[in-house]
Amino acid sequence: MSARDLISGEAELDSQEDDESFDEETGQVRRKPNGVNGVNGHMDDSSEEEDDDDDEEAAAAIRKDFIVEDDEEPEERERRRRERKKRRREEREEEEAGLDEEDLDLIGEANPDFERRTTNEPKLKRLKRGHKEDRDGPRPKGVDNIFDSEEEDEVDYRNQRQPHRTDPRNLQDEFADFIEEDFDDRDGAPDDDDADVARPTGRAYTGIKDATGLDEAALEDMKEAFGEGDEYDWALNIQDQEEEDGQRVIDPADPDAIAKGLELKDVFEPSQLAEKLLTDEDNEIRAIDVPERFQLARKPYKDLVLTAEQFKEEGIWISDDIWKRKSMDPALKEPFGKAVAKVLEFMVVDEYEVPFIIQHRKDYIIHSERTPVTPDPSNPSAPEFAISAEKLLTNSELWRIFDLDLKFRALIEKRNALSDTYKKLQDMADFEDPVFEEMLPKATTMEELQDVQDYLHFQHASRLADLAAVNASSTSNGTHRRPGSSKALFERIRNSRVYSLVRAFGITADAFAQNALKEGRRQYTEEPTERPDDLADSEAIMDPPDYSTGAQCLRAAKAMFAEEIFLSPKMRKVMRAGYYEDGVIECFRTDKGLRRIDEHHPYYDFKYLRNQQVPDIARQPDLFLRMIRAEEEGLVEIKIRMQNAGSFKKRLYGEIESDNFSEIADAWNRERREVLDLALLKLEKLTARGVKENLKIECEDQVASRCREEFSKKLDQAPYKPRGMQLGTIPRVLAISNGAGAFGREAVVWAWVEEDGRVLENGKFTDLFLGDPDRGQEDGADVKALVKVIERRKPDVIGLSGFSADTRKLYKLLEEIIERKDLRGAEYEDEDGTERTDKLDLIVVNDEVARLYQTSQRATLEHPGFAPLTRYCVGLAKYLQSPLKEYAALSKDIISITMDPAQSYVPQEKIFKFLETALVDIVNLVGVEINDAVSDWYSANLLPYTSGLGPRKAQQLLKVINLNGGNVATRAELVGDADQQRVGAVGPRVWANCASFLYIDFDSSDQEADYLDNTRVHPEDYDLGRKMAADALELDEEDIDAETTENGAGAIVRKLVRDDQQEKVNDLILEEYAEQLENNFNQRKRATLETIRAELLSPYEELREKFTLLSSEEIFTQFTGETRDTLYEGMIVPVSIKRVGEDFIEARMDCGIEGTVPATEISNRPDIPPRQLFQQFQTVQAKVMYLNRKTLAAGFSLREDDLRNPTKREHDRMPGDWDDAQERADKESMKEKNDVSGRTQRVVKHPLFKPFNSAQAQEFLGSQARGDVVIRPSSKGVDHLAITWKVSDNIYQHIDVLELDKSSQFSSGGTLKIGGKWSFSDLDELIVTHVKAMAKKVDDMMLHEKYQNGSKAETERWLSTYTEANPKRSVYAFCIDPKHPGYFNLCFKAGQHAQLQSWPVKVVPNAFELKGNPYTDMRALCNGFKLMFSNMQSGKRR
């Protein structure tokens, strides 16, 4: 194992300590004496430092002594090489030592007082090597893009700039040189030389402080955001070497060969390239002129070509699937089928995406009828016909057509494969199989195709084996799939004389299935002349040695016949139809579910569910998906059976039995019934499994569709509209939040965001309260500060949100301040032109995006100096300014937002696929200003969802536009313009998809500008738009020719706009236009003409709905996290007592809702004072008596009789739907067990105590933060407590606490012991010094750069991938061990061909344990591991 690989970059020493710290919630700067505090987020730099330049000669000398080299090059050659490298490095530093414009913008945004300096000081250009035009000669592929990634490489490559050859026998020496310790052998003090070597990153920031005016803390934030700029110096050095040698670099592994130029895959790992969409496959997608989403979706079927018959079949297949889900007039079925076929043609043949079809082919999905109208004598000019139109396909159904097209392609691909296999079998042996030939074309689902495949493999197992052998010999690999043992058994029966006994049953499996299916003419059963046992004993049947007795022969024949029935495609179709029509679903609890699912468990509503019809369950997708999840957890078992199984079986008996009346007939009919019973046992299991799986997929699709619809509503809202402004105007926002802080005790944070998205000001209020003039109490000092901010900035709206119910109090305070101080918004003109102002709007903002934004890498890059809560406020403001852009910026993090309560039961990939379609719909409804997208990152986030584009093509589009000068003048430029030397950004087919959704603001002063480029009109319809404009202006042909000759093709529309004559287009009769187009050109354009008219009147008018304000119910859920299902009146909940009065108690629920307990509800013993029963901070059980969801207030009862009778949720069930008898029996059983155990319910006076068992504790902590704790009773007795704390998501550690020195059975122990090793005096000390200390170590581990956020298998795959990409490197990483809470796995791989190994790392208070050795921090743990591994390797070599 290479020591360099294990140690590189691990034990670097920090150059200095931070001069300040931040309040985690508010961002308040707590400065050390030499620091400078800022006001409202502004920081002033008051110190400067001189930068020390490293001496390259001295550093090289240190490295020379530090690195052991067994094979050094000649000294003179080495000196010249160092001088060359030093000269190149100095030239780069002079050229690139400053911050670029983008970085300075970010710094200025975080620090409004910062001013750029215009000195000639060196600038550091982050991660760049100069402009492309400044370089000489061609560059190898990818080098210019090396630094596009914002992530730092896992390994420090700086120590690899010079060759380092190591003798494997000197491994111990190598580790000794590379392991950096915090001590030496003499006196334990750090060695200065070693410290210098261990601090190689300091030089990267030489001179930055003077250039930017930032202090050390801000520089540290910038370093975390942008990296140090030298992560890939090793790659640059290789590139420099290639340039020096004329691109002729000798490959050390093959001196006679010339190595290829440096490429991206030589620098980055495959996973990094895939993440950045830079693989060869990604480049291929960019290059092909097909919409990106089509390429990705059809990738598995790209070689499949549908025939004309198959394409026609597909239209019918998709139409039937969608039609059965619609409630539409049956008379519309035929036009509906034609519409589906036409849409399919647009998608498959023309390769148009859904948004294009919605916008520009809408006439084909609208059915219109002309109905004659009775003439009106009083109105001679009235139209003769009334036109009625109905939209046949919705947006969701168009996306379903796209999805069904993929499923049909998979179906055809499998059908073709089966057909090819059958033809090959026929070529080998001349035969025909009527069943296969009949059923293959009829198979319309994957299940039916699988039935045909199973039939083929059963009926022709020997022929398939011969075919596989031939194929294996032809491919010379000598391998083929061996038939299973059961198939071999049936093949022996088929090839023996016993098969005559199978034919003697008088009817074939296919004929019987045809009877059961009620298809064609009935097939009658023929009766043999002998009894079955007599026939089996005959010489003509017995076939020794396998079948030497009649009983063996009969048993084998019955098994064979049953298997033929089981594998009959028709019989499976019969069973499937029966289950879907008469199947019922029932839920049975397991032994584990009996204990785990109590009346308060979310699964209780189906614990005893019975007799649920399959169609009924399909209409309750969330219920069935929860049942599936409970079954996966081992709590219930789902069974599907046929409701009338007895009558169904009796009917099948009649189809297989003969109609004769004789002893022989009765004997044969008994055997036939036994055969059918055998077949039905297998068929029932197979069918039930298939129905359950299909039902699961259907329910998942329904939930995903509901998520899509809900997300569409969230996206379909315009920015918050300021008073007096048009819909779509961006507001100026003051965003305020108290986060999770207690109102009145913790700071309130705010941020001011301009309409262009810039954060110009931010700060916090610590003294925000209104005084009482009647009592002479003045307002808090920050009330004046708030008023000044509002009067100075004139916001359009104040946006408010937070993480707790206390935010409601902040809302009421701000509402009162606005009213008392008469705060008003910006001035605007009303309809009469009068200037006016209104009371300032105050709204609660949906914060689901802001919560994700505050801790995102995006927020860190945009606002590196802001605290998380300030970024949260910025997220609130940006959401008010454009919900669409904020959701689009989340990318795949969209799935973190809950759109539906059942969303968690559906695979995330499916949810994201459906949510992406909603984004595509709304983005194309709104459109993207292409030049804004080039310059604005937020607008560029919309491009991947534009029709025809995707992430890769959007990147390519922006890249080419920048190559062409960074500006787009016309839509036509996007496909290239040879005359103006503009490169095409997209191909013609992609351009056709995206052109109308990428618009360009119209500049009337630019004679080349086309007004229609600023509209939703597609370039293919520009001529129609120009003709409509000419007709509206009443221009004749000569006028048109003169105008267009002088001013270009767009002159007519420009004239219409210039003369402000757009209203004239309303006078045009578009119906006549549409008729001419359809009659003369076979183009249906009626709806398109309406779109053109609307766009000529108002280009890209805002079509989204108004900004949606949260309802009281939504605000309740946002502030508390509770819903009507999780918190309701009559529910028993734990509350923490805040105050105990003489005749009342104030309490608070975990969700933050506060309430009171009146005197009558405190206890059943009114003679006992409340203070003798309850104490402050005590956690008790309470019953919710009333709940005000608007004011977030509640009333509680602590009476024993109320607690014994909680309100049960009523479920609307039909008789027979619930197994009441089983429920009663289980309750009695559990009561007996509890009585036998005699377990006493304890109550501990501590706010973290909950009367939970382990499962309830885990469920409670599921939504809590990492490190949160629950104290609960222990099952080991009254002298024990259990502590459950959350290690990570779905990982909880249970700690047994032994209580000693107890004064009574119910009191807490005076001494608390854990594991016989740690002792504590009380619970608070235990939690802080034991649990929280371990949680801190878990945080340290999971925030370390070597930690992998995945399973052990995923981590090991990452290690293997890394070593394959870097064969001479070794690597290690940590990952959590979910099976052993409190443990991590240290996984490592000592080279490409070494075995993967892992060691357990235990988390203990204030340390990590590895192999029994404690290490105080991650650095010590990493170094300890390296030393330990080094010693082990050395021991092996001895």
Side-chain angles (χ1 to χ4, degrees):
M1 182 176 187
S2 172
R4 174 192 301 275
D5 302 333
L6 281 176
I7 298 166
S8 180
E10 274 304 317
E12 297 177 356
L13 302 177
D14 293 335
S15 59
Q16 58 191 8
E17 297 294 331
D18 291 341
D19 291 333
E20 64 186 12
S21 60
F22 291 90
D23 185 292
E24 291 183 357
E25 237 355 276
T26 67
Q28 173 68 10
V29 182
R30 298 193 291 266
R31 303 288 296 189
K32 295 184 179 180
N34 63 338
V36 178
N37 201 351
V39 179
N40 292 338
H42 300 284
M43 293 179 290
D44 297 322
D45 186 18
S46 61
S47 64
E48 294 186 2
E49 296 179 5
E50 294 184 358
D51 301 308
D52 298 327
D53 293 327
D54 293 336
D55 189 333
E56 287 295 323
E57 299 280 332
I62 292 173
R63 286 196 298 272
K64 181 177 179 181
D65 294 335
F66 185 62
I67 301 173
V68 179
E69 296 195 8
D70 298 330
D71 186 14
E72 292 187 347
E73 296 179 348
E75 182 177 353
E76 182 63 23
R77 181 177 177 182
E78 181 66 23
R79 184 183 63 80
R80 290 198 304 270
R81 183 177 179 183
R82 285 201 304 269
E83 289 177 352
R84 282 200 309 271
K85 292 181 65 177
K86 180 180 178 181
R87 184 166 59 253
R88 288 197 305 272
R89 189 182 301 111
E90 290 173 347
E91 291 172 355
R92 282 202 304 269
E93 288 174 359
E94 290 175 1
E95 183 181 7
E96 304 170 2
L99 295 170
D100 62 15
E101 295 296 317
E102 181 183 350
D103 297 339
L104 290 173
D105 285 341
L106 287 172
I107 294 168
E109 187 176 82
N111 302 274
D113 289 344
F114 166 71
E115 296 181 1
R116 299 185 186 176
R117 303 190 178 189
T118 57
T119 63
N120 294 325
E121 297 178 5
K123 297 180 180 179
L124 173 65
K125 194 129 187 174
R126 175 171 65 93
L127 301 182
K128 293 188 178 180
R129 300 204 56 205
H131 298 288
K132 183 175 181 181
E133 59 267 26
D134 297 335
R135 303 180 192 144
D136 296 329
R139 296 280 180 166
K141 176 186 176 182
V143 173
D144 294 337
N145 298 324
I146 284 178
F147 302 122
D148 288 348
S149 174
E150 291 293 337
E151 299 180 4
E152 295 183 6
D153 193 29
E154 286 286 330
V155 182
D156 186 355
Y157 291 99
R158 288 168 293 183
N159 293 333
Q160 299 184 14
R161 293 178 182 174
Q162 298 185 18
H164 181 72
R165 301 173 185 170
T166 305
D167 189 337
R169 294 169 294 182
N170 294 334
L171 184 63
Q172 178 62 39
D173 295 336
E174 183 183 7
F175 270 95
D177 285 337
F178 275 89
I179 296 179
E180 300 165 8
E181 304 289 354
D182 293 334
F183 56 85
D184 62 15
D185 296 331
R186 297 189 298 271
D187 55 4
D191 186 278
D192 292 338
D193 292 338
D194 289 344
D196 289 337
V197 174
R199 201 180 297 127
T201 61
R203 182 171 54 81
Y205 279 86
T206 301
I208 295 180
K209 183 177 178 181
D210 292 337
T212 63
L214 296 179
D215 59 13
E216 296 296 337
L219 284 176
E220 190 66 27
D221 289 338
M222 187 182 68
K223 184 191 297 185
E224 292 180 4
F226 300 113
E228 300 190 17
D230 57 359
E231 293 87 347
Y232 300 105
D233 275 1
W234 64 274
L236 298 178
N237 292 335
I238 293 176
Q239 184 180 354
D240 292 339
Q241 184 64 38
E242 291 177 355
E243 292 175 353
E244 288 181 7
D245 297 342
Q247 299 291 344
R248 297 177 62 85
V249 181
I250 303 302
D251 188 348
D254 186 2
D256 295 331
I258 298 178
K260 295 181 179 179
L262 189 67
E263 297 184 4
L264 287 176
K265 60 185 178 183
D266 301 322
V267 180
F268 298 100
E269 297 179 33
S271 60
Q272 290 178 300
L273 293 178
E275 181 183 357
K276 299 296 182 182
L277 306 179
L278 294 173
T279 64
D280 293 339
E281 182 180 352
D282 294 321
N283 293 330
E284 183 180 352
I285 292 174
R286 290 184 182 91
I288 297 176
D289 185 25
V290 173
E292 183 171 330
R293 274 175 286 275
F294 281 2
Q295 291 189 57
L296 293 174
R298 296 171 180 170
K299 178 183 174 183
Y301 323 109
K302 62 181 180 180
D303 297 327
L304 178 67
V305 178
L306 299 180
T307 64
E309 293 78 9
Q310 290 172 339
F311 191 72
K312 183 178 179 181
E313 178 190 356
E314 180 181 6
I316 299 172
W317 185 78
I318 293 177
S319 177
D320 291 343
D321 181 273
I322 299 178
W323 178 259
K324 65 185 180 184
R325 304 168 189 269
K326 294 178 71 73
S327 54
M328 190 174 278
D329 186 352
L332 295 175
K333 185 172 183 179
E334 183 179 351
F336 176 82
K338 293 180 178 179
V340 170
K342 197 64 180 178
V343 168
L344 198 59
E345 179 184 335
F346 292 145
M347 289 182 178
V348 177
V349 180
D350 299 328
E351 293 184 320
Y352 290 143
E353 281 213 81
V354 170
F356 180 93
I357 298 171
I358 294 171
Q359 182 66 31
H360 304 298
R361 297 294 183 268
K362 64 182 72 174
D363 294 271
Y364 293 91
I365 58 177
I366 296 175
H367 178 68
S368 59
E369 291 183 351
R370 300 177 62 178
T371 306
V373 177
T374 303
D376 185 0
S378 61
N379 186 12
S381 60
E384 299 179 4
F385 297 93
I387 300 177
S388 61
E390 184 165 357
K391 191 174 182 179
L392 299 174
L393 291 164
T394 64
N395 292 16
S396 298
E397 288 165 347
L398 290 175
W399 285 108
R400 180 158 181 81
I401 291 175
F402 176 63
D403 188 49
L404 289 174
D405 172 54
L406 302 177
K407 292 182 179 180
F408 187 80
R409 288 168 182 265
L411 188 79
I412 292 300
E413 188 175 57
K414 186 165 185 175
R415 185 193 291 176
N416 291 346
L418 285 173
S419 179
D420 292 343
T421 301
Y422 182 67
K423 290 177 181 177
K424 290 177 181 178
L425 292 177
Q426 286 185 315
D427 292 340
M428 287 184 58
D430 188 15
F431 74 97
E432 290 185 358
D433 189 326
V435 174
F436 180 87
E437 294 176 1
E438 177 190 359
M439 297 306 297
L440 183 63
K442 291 182 178 181
T444 58
T445 66
M446 292 301 288
E447 279 183 313
E448 293 178 355
L449 272 181
Q450 187 62 45
D451 295 342
V452 176
Q453 179 176 316
D454 292 345
Y455 169 83
L456 181 68
H457 282 258
F458 173 73
Q459 287 295 126
H460 307 285
S462 60
R463 293 190 179 100
L464 287 169
D466 295 340
L467 180 62
V470 171
N471 291 337
S473 61
S474 62
T475 55
S476 301
N477 58 16
T479 61
H480 63 276
R481 182 180 174 185
R482 297 180 60 186
S485 58
S486 61
K487 289 184 179 179
L489 170 64
F490 292 120
E491 198 62 23
R492 287 199 304 271
I493 296 174
R494 183 180 288 111
N495 295 328
S496 68
R497 286 182 289 182
V498 176
Y499 197 70
S500 300
L501 190 56
V502 176
R503 290 195 293 268
F505 277 89
I507 190 171
T508 65
D510 182 67
F512 160 66
Q514 182 176 321
N515 290 342
L517 198 58
K518 302 296 184 183
E519 284 186 353
R521 188 168 56 88
R522 175 181 171 81
Q523 304 293 315
Y524 292 96
T525 304
E526 297 179 1
E527 204 71 75
T529 57
E530 296 181 73
R531 290 172 54 89
D533 48 354
D534 294 338
L535 184 60
D537 287 332
S538 66
E539 293 293 333
I541 299 298
M542 287 191 293
D543 194 354
D546 293 331
Y547 309 104
S548 55
T549 67
Q552 288 179 334
C553 294
L554 185 59
R555 187 164 56 249
K558 289 163 65 176
M560 182 69 185
F561 192 24
E563 192 71 10
E564 288 181 341
I565 294 174
F566 168 67
L567 287 161
S568 168
K570 293 180 181 178
M571 192 62 208
R572 290 187 176 185
K573 189 174 182 179
V574 170
M575 290 295 294
R576 205 171 286 122
Y579 265 76
Y580 281 117
E581 291 174 5
D582 298 322
V584 292
I585 298 175
E586 299 180 322
C587 198
F588 296 87
R589 56 89 185 147
T590 62
D591 292 339
K592 182 180 177 181
L594 172 64
R595 299 187 302 271
R596 291 280 299 275
I597 305 178
D598 58 17
E599 292 185 351
H600 304 291
H601 198 280
Y603 295 160
Y604 193 79
D605 60 336
F606 55 78
K607 185 178 182 179
Y608 303 102
L609 196 63
R610 303 287 190 270
N611 300 322
Q612 297 299 298
Q613 299 285 337
V614 171
D616 294 339
I617 284 290
R619 287 189 285 269
Q620 305 176 71
D622 48 347
L623 173 64
F624 187 71
L625 292 178
R626 287 192 298 118
M627 291 167 62
I628 292 291
R629 178 64 58 85
E631 186 176 49
E632 292 171 353
E633 295 173 3
L635 302 178
V636 300
E637 181 182 1
I638 301 173
K639 295 183 179 180
I640 303 179
R641 61 177 177 83
M642 198 175 294
Q643 191 171 18
N644 302 311
S647 59
F648 177 76
K649 184 183 292 187
K650 187 176 180 180
R651 181 176 72 83
L652 293 182
Y653 285 161
E655 305 295 348
I656 198 172
E657 293 176 346
S658 70
D659 298 332
N660 297 330
F661 296 95
S662 67
E663 182 181 352
I664 294 177
D666 293 342
W668 275 106
N669 283 338
R670 282 194 299 271
E671 299 298 338
R672 293 180 184 116
R673 286 193 293 269
E674 289 182 13
V675 167
L676 184 57
D677 290 342
L678 287 174
L680 287 177
L681 284 176
K682 300 180 72 173
L683 283 168
E684 286 169 355
K685 291 180 181 179
L686 176 70
T687 309
R689 186 167 62 248
V691 169
K692 183 193 293 187
E693 186 61 29
N694 287 343
L695 194 56
K696 177 186 175 184
I697 294 172
E698 175 65 24
C699 290
E700 287 177 351
D701 288 345
Q702 287 189 47
V703 171
S705 295
R706 291 197 322 222
C707 290
R708 174 194 144 80
E709 296 304 319
E710 180 63 26
F711 190 40
S712 294
K713 294 177 183 177
K714 293 176 182 290
L715 294 171
D716 189 16
Q717 50 179 336
Y720 181 85
K721 187 177 80 69
R723 296 285 182 91
M725 300 294 178
Q726 290 185 347
L727 188 65
T729 304
I730 307 296
R732 296 170 296 180
V733 183
L734 177 64
I736 300 179
S737 177
N738 65 326
F743 178 75
R745 294 201 300 270
E746 298 188 30
V748 174
V749 176
W750 60 274
W752 165 259
V753 183
E754 280 283 349
E755 60 261 41
D756 59 3
R758 291 179 299 150
V759 183
L760 298 185
E761 197 173 354
N762 68 88
K764 69 174 186 175
F765 302 126
T766 57
D767 191 22
L768 190 66
F769 68 90
L770 281 173
D772 189 347
D774 296 337
R775 298 181 179 179
Q777 184 182 16
E778 295 184 355
D779 297 338
D782 282 331
V783 173
K784 295 180 180 178
L786 172 62
V787 172
K788 286 183 179 179
V789 170
I790 293 174
E791 291 178 345
R792 182 175 71 253
R793 292 296 186 181
K794 293 293 183 184
D796 296 309
V797 62
I798 295 179
L800 168 77
S801 197
F803 311 144
S804 69
D806 278 4
T807 306
R808 169 72 184 177
K809 300 177 182 178
L810 177 60
Y811 178 87
K812 296 300 293 182
L813 173 64
L814 293 175
E815 196 174 46
E816 190 174 353
I817 291 175
I818 292 172
E819 183 66 30
R820 190 180 297 185
K821 303 299 180 183
D822 193 27
L823 299 178
R824 295 183 171 271
E827 293 183 350
Y828 66 93
E829 290 186 0
D830 60 15
E831 295 179 356
D832 299 331
T834 306
E835 293 283 344
R836 60 172 296 179
T837 60
D838 294 322
K839 282 281 178 64
L840 184 59
D841 289 339
L842 171 67
I843 65 171
V844 177
V845 186
N846 185 341
D847 72 341
E848 58 191 13
V849 178
R851 290 186 185 226
L852 296 173
Y853 176 78
Q854 64 173 334
T855 56
S856 67
Q857 183 182 9
R858 177 164 56 99
T860 303
L861 292 173
E862 292 174 356
H863 309 290
F866 288 6
L869 190 55
T870 306
R871 295 172 186 157
Y872 172 79
C873 290
V874 174
L876 295 176
K878 286 180 176 290
Y879 184 86
L880 282 168
Q881 292 177 338
S882 179
L884 175 61
K885 287 185 178 180
E886 286 303 297
Y887 283 117
L890 290 178
S891 187
K892 291 191 175 182
D893 289 338
I894 297 172
I895 57 176
S896 301
I897 297 176
T898 301
M899 308 291 174
D900 188 273
Q903 177 178 332
S904 60
Y905 304 118
V906 182
Q908 291 187 348
E909 297 79 10
K910 179 173 287 188
I911 292 292
F912 179 75
K913 185 184 76 172
F914 276 76
L915 296 184
E916 186 182 30
T917 63
L919 259 173
V920 172
D921 283 349
I922 304 300
V923 166
N924 289 280
L925 174 71
V926 175
V928 181
E929 209 293 326
I930 185 60
N931 290 312
D932 282 350
V934 174
S935 58
D936 176 45
W937 184 82
Y938 268 84
S939 297
N941 285 330
L942 303 177
L943 285 177
Y945 305 104
T946 305
S947 178
L949 302 181
R952 298 159 188 82
K953 289 189 178 292
Q955 287 178 355
Q956 181 73 4
L957 176 68
L958 294 176
K959 181 179 179 180
V960 174
I961 291 175
N962 283 311
L963 284 175
N964 289 337
N967 185 71
V968 180
T970 65
R971 283 170 171 167
E973 288 182 10
L974 295 176
V975 287
D977 189 334
D979 296 335
Q980 299 184 13
Q981 296 183 344
R982 290 184 177 270
V983 181
V986 292
R989 195 177 294 267
V990 172
W991 180 80
N993 272 278
C994 70
S996 63
F997 306 108
L998 302 176
Y999 64 92
I1000 303 163
D1001 280 339
F1002 177 66
D1003 183 3
S1004 58
S1005 63
D1006 184 0
Q1007 291 298 316
E1008 298 297 324
D1010 194 328
Y1011 180 84
L1012 293 177
D1013 282 342
N1014 189 35
T1015 67
R1016 291 184 173 90
V1017 180
H1018 195 278
E1020 70 178 11
D1021 296 321
Y1022 278 10
D1023 288 342
L1024 291 177
R1026 291 161 184 164
K1027 185 178 188 318
M1028 289 173 63
D1031 290 348
L1033 292 173
E1034 298 179 355
L1035 300 178
D1036 56 26
E1037 292 294 334
E1038 294 181 358
D1039 295 334
I1040 295 174
D1041 291 340
E1043 189 72 26
T1044 55
T1045 301
E1046 181 178 355
N1047 298 313
I1052 303 300
V1053 180
R1054 279 203 303 274
K1055 177 178 175 58
L1056 181 75
V1057 175
R1058 184 176 64 248
D1059 297 345
D1060 197 18
Q1061 300 292 315
Q1062 294 100 313
E1063 291 294 334
K1064 288 187 175 182
V1065 298
N1066 286 325
D1067 299 331
L1068 299 177
I1069 303 175
L1070 299 184
E1071 191 63 36
E1072 295 180 2
Y1073 278 120
E1075 289 181 2
Q1076 291 176 13
L1077 288 171
E1078 186 165 6
N1079 294 333
N1080 299 333
F1081 303 102
N1082 196 28
Q1083 294 181 0
R1084 298 169 66 175
K1085 293 283 186 178
R1086 180 66 181 83
T1088 301
L1089 293 173
E1090 287 290 350
T1091 299
I1092 296 173
R1093 172 155 59 186
E1095 291 299 311
L1096 289 174
L1097 289 169
S1098 179
Y1100 257 102
E1101 180 185 6
E1102 180 61 73
L1103 299 180
R1104 288 173 291 181
E1105 300 292 335
K1106 292 182 179 180
F1107 187 87
T1108 306
L1109 300 180
L1110 294 178
S1111 65
S1112 297
E1113 190 70 30
E1114 290 170 330
I1115 293 174
F1116 174 83
T1117 300
Q1118 181 167 299
F1119 287 168
T1120 66
E1122 304 287 354
T1123 65
R1124 290 191 176 273
D1125 293 328
T1126 62
L1127 184 63
Y1128 49 87
E1129 292 179 356
M1131 188 176 182
I1132 306 297
V1133 296
V1135 297
S1136 176
I1137 295 177
K1138 293 180 59 182
R1139 181 184 174 192
V1140 181
E1142 291 294 335
D1143 57 355
F1144 71 93
I1145 292 176
E1146 293 180 357
R1148 180 187 179 98
M1149 286 189 280
D1150 290 332
C1151 63
I1153 295 177
E1154 297 179 354
T1156 58
V1157 184
T1160 57
E1161 303 293 341
I1162 291 177
S1163 173
N1164 288 35
R1165 296 283 304 276
D1167 55 316
I1168 302 177
R1171 287 193 174 93
Q1172 292 185 15
L1173 296 173
F1174 302 100
Q1175 298 178 0
Q1176 189 179 13
F1177 305 125
Q1178 182 180 355
T1179 300
V1180 297
Q1181 296 291 100
K1183 183 175 182 179
V1184 181
M1185 303 305 291
Y1186 78 88
L1187 182 64
N1188 190 321
R1189 297 177 182 270
K1190 185 174 182 180
T1191 62
L1192 305 186
F1196 305 112
S1197 173
L1198 302 178
R1199 293 170 58 92
E1200 290 83 351
D1201 54 348
D1202 285 337
L1203 296 178
R1204 284 194 296 267
N1205 296 288
T1207 301
K1208 294 183 179 180
R1209 302 300 297 272
E1210 296 295 332
H1211 297 281
D1212 186 16
R1213 299 191 184 98
M1214 298 294 291
D1217 287 357
W1218 194 258
D1219 195 338
D1220 297 293
Q1222 184 66 53
E1223 183 182 30
R1224 287 193 299 270
D1226 287 349
K1227 287 183 177 179
E1228 291 294 329
S1229 174
M1230 293 300 296
K1231 183 178 179 181
E1232 292 175 4
K1233 290 180 180 179
N1234 291 336
D1235 292 342
V1236 170
S1237 64
R1239 180 173 172 180
T1240 305
Q1241 183 69 38
R1242 290 189 60 186
V1243 176
V1244 177
K1245 295 180 180 179
H1246 194 279
L1248 296 179
F1249 178 82
K1250 309 288 181 187
F1252 292 162
N1253 57 29
S1254 61
Q1256 292 170 325
Q1258 291 181 188
E1259 184 177 347
F1260 173 79
L1261 290 171
S1263 60
Q1264 306 298 315
R1266 195 165 62 213
D1268 282 0
V1269 181
V1270 164
I1271 303 170
R1272 58 184 181 84
S1274 173
S1275 59
K1276 294 186 177 181
V1278 294
D1279 58 345
H1280 286 259
L1281 281 174
I1283 291 181
T1284 301
W1285 69 284
K1286 184 174 181 178
V1287 181
S1288 185
D1289 291 340
N1290 301 318
I1291 302 176
Y1292 309 90
Q1293 187 178 43
H1294 306 284
I1295 303 174
D1296 176 46
V1297 180
L1298 176 63
E1299 299 178 275
L1300 304 176
D1301 305 329
K1302 293 169 64 75
S1303 59
S1304 68
Q1305 181 181 6
F1306 301 101
S1307 64
S1308 298
T1311 302
L1312 307 175
K1313 296 186 72 69
I1314 295 179
K1317 184 176 180 181
W1318 292 283
S1319 298
F1320 311 93
S1321 59
D1322 57 36
L1323 285 170
D1324 289 329
E1325 180 189 2
L1326 183 152
I1327 291 171
V1328 172
T1329 61
H1330 191 85
V1331 179
K1332 293 298 183 182
M1334 289 195 294
K1336 175 63 169 60
K1337 290 301 171 187
V1338 171
D1339 288 341
D1340 292 344
M1341 172 68 79
M1342 299 183 79
L1343 292 174
H1344 194 262
E1345 61 180 0
K1346 290 294 184 182
Y1347 179 77
Q1348 290 287 321
N1349 190 17
S1351 64
K1352 181 180 178 182
E1354 291 171 342
T1355 302
E1356 290 179 342
R1357 283 197 296 272
W1358 181 86
L1359 296 177
S1360 299
T1361 302
Y1362 184 91
T1363 52
E1364 288 174 4
N1366 305 273
K1368 299 181 180 180
R1369 305 297 302 273
S1370 303
V1371 66
Y1372 68 98
F1374 299 93
C1375 64
I1376 200 164
D1377 186 351
K1379 296 182 180 179
H1380 303 92
Y1383 281 81
F1384 289 84
N1385 292 312
L1386 197 170
C1387 306
F1388 57 95
K1389 197 169 189 290
Q1392 180 183 14
H1393 302 295
Q1395 287 187 344
L1396 283 163
Q1397 300 185 58
S1398 67
W1399 292 350
V1401 177
K1402 182 181 179 181
V1403 177
V1404 297
N1406 301 312
F1408 302 98
E1409 280 190 5
L1410 178 65
K1411 299 282 188 180
N1413 300 314
Y1415 299 96
T1416 57
D1417 54 30
M1418 287 299 299
R1419 177 180 170 184
L1421 175 64
C1422 294
N1423 281 340
F1425 157 65
K1426 298 164 192 173
L1427 283 170
M1428 196 178 301
F1429 183 83
S1430 171
N1431 293 334
M1432 290 176 58
Q1433 294 297 101
S1434 299
K1436 289 181 181 180
R1437 284 177 171 77
R1438 294 192 188 100

